[in-house]
Amino acid sequence: MPDFEEVAERVWVARYEWADANVTAIGSDRGLVVVDTHGSTAAGRVVLDDLHRLGAGPVAAVVNTHWHWDHSFGNAAFREQDPDLPIHAHEDAAAMLAEKGEYMKGRFAESDDPHRDDVVATELVIPDHIFSSTRVLDLGDRTVELVFPGRGHTSGDLVVRVPDVDVMLAGDLVEESAKPWIGLDSYVFDWPGTLDLVVAMATTETRIVPGHGIVVDRTFVDDQRDELVAIAETVRMLAGSGVPVDRAVAEGTWPWESDERIANAVTRGYEALPPSSRSLPLA
Ligand SMILES: [Zn+2]
């Protein structure tokens, strides 16, 4: 059972083994803001137990950094404790969870994942406090900013800033313990520019909590951005030189060993490019 570790004054991060998921709690006079709720109602209840042991006050609000199951499927556990608890997210994250949440549960139902039954039993709770660009949470003695820096890992990733301690929570726009997950709901051409904004909001001192892995700094995010630039440029180059989509993964030179992420980047990139840039004659 992980403990919440204080990474800055009254900002605690717990790193859970399942999905190597980070959950962050931000303390204030008005209670805790909990960012991400892990992957099932049962897992969310474990987070609540761990928060109880932390003893830093009741939960005042929940934030989902994006719609993915390992960040939002624990929401129901928090609502069990407080039916009026506000759950914040970007409007696209709420829409995607409503649209795709049951599909994700179905994927687990068909798998032999050890957490399958917990996920299948999970009641989806869609964030009810949505916004499009920015939102400030006034917590009395501290403010927390929710910022939508643009599309990337999904269409609705938000970044949480805690300005008084120079901390930023980047969700899965940044990953430390693995390469950033490029999925079939990712935006490969937007992601680097989105990270430009994340980097611009950071100082050299900013502690950046990724969705998965340990705290990083601005330089780390800048380096991860460069890898995503290389992927986007390679996809654009392959499509522009007429390489068919089914040969693109093999013919590209990628910043890391080609994997499902790279395959997804090719799929998504080719989908996003206008047909003319895919069918340019070679001569
Ligand atoms: Zn994710």
Side-chain angles (χ1 to χ4, degrees):
M1 203 184 283
D3 281 315
F4 275 91
E5 269 185 47
E6 196 169 26
V7 298
E9 197 219 322
R10 291 179 301 151
V11 178
W12 298 271
V13 179
R15 184 175 176 183
Y16 290 92
E17 193 178 347
W18 181 28
D20 192 24
N22 285 333
V23 175
T24 302
I26 303 163
S28 79
D29 279 355
R30 296 189 183 159
L32 296 170
V33 174
V34 176
V35 181
D36 290 338
T37 59
H38 210 197
S40 69
T41 304
R45 291 186 191 122
V46 172
V47 174
L48 276 161
D49 286 346
D50 293 340
L51 286 169
H52 188 73
R53 286 192 296 118
L54 177 66
V59 178
V62 159
V63 175
N64 293 145
T65 56
H66 60 295
W67 76 274
H68 285 163
W69 63 271
D70 49 333
H71 301 260
S72 68
F73 276 22
N75 286 357
F78 290 80
R79 275 285 169 75
E80 281 171 355
Q81 299 247 316
D82 176 0
D84 299 321
L85 187 71
I87 303 180
H88 299 270
H90 184 262
E91 58 191 2
D92 273 35
M96 287 292 283
L97 182 58
E99 191 185 318
K100 301 278 190 198
E102 289 297 337
Y103 164 78
M104 277 312 303
K105 283 172 63 176
R107 292 268 304 268
F108 271 92
E110 291 161 9
S111 76
D112 55 5
D113 190 287
H115 299 274
R116 178 189 60 200
D117 294 347
D118 284 344
V119 175
V120 170
T122 288
E123 179 208 341
L124 299 178
V125 174
I126 311 303
D128 58 344
H129 283 52
I130 60 173
F131 69 99
S132 58
S133 57
T134 62
R135 163 166 288 159
V136 177
L137 305 181
D138 177 3
L139 303 173
D141 58 333
R142 139 184 278 182
T143 59
V144 168
E145 301 171 5
L146 313 181
V147 181
F148 173 61
R151 300 187 301 188
H153 172 66
T154 70
S155 59
D157 302 271
L158 64 79
V159 166
V160 181
R161 296 185 69 222
V162 192
D164 67 284
V165 287
D166 201 5
V167 166
M168 202 186 289
L169 319 177
D172 286 0
L173 287 170
V174 177
E175 288 195 47
E176 186 276 331
S177 51
K179 294 300 180 187
W181 177 254
I182 304 168
L184 292 173
D185 57 348
S186 298
Y187 290 80
V188 287
F189 298 128
D190 299 57
W191 200 335
T194 296
L195 286 183
D196 283 340
L197 198 54
V198 172
V199 167
M201 286 189 289
T203 70
T204 54
E205 305 301 313
T206 305
R207 275 161 286 189
I208 300 170
V209 181
H212 306 272
I214 61 169
V215 173
V216 298
D217 63 10
R218 193 174 72 170
T219 305
F220 180 94
V221 177
D222 225 10
D223 291 345
Q224 198 152 84
R225 171 203 169 275
D226 288 347
E227 294 186 339
L228 291 162
V229 167
I231 291 168
E233 284 181 352
T234 302
V235 171
R236 212 183 277 282
M237 185 272 291
L238 291 164
S241 46
V243 174
V245 65
D246 57 351
R247 288 198 357 240
V249 173
E251 295 205 8
T253 304
W254 308 103
W256 64 73
E257 201 179 328
S258 62
D259 59 4
E260 203 182 341
R261 293 166 178 78
I262 299 293
N264 289 339
V266 165
T267 302
R268 292 290 285 159
Y270 272 65
E271 278 171 11
L273 291 168
S276 60
S277 69
R278 280 183 257 148
S279 56
L280 279 179
L282 289 173

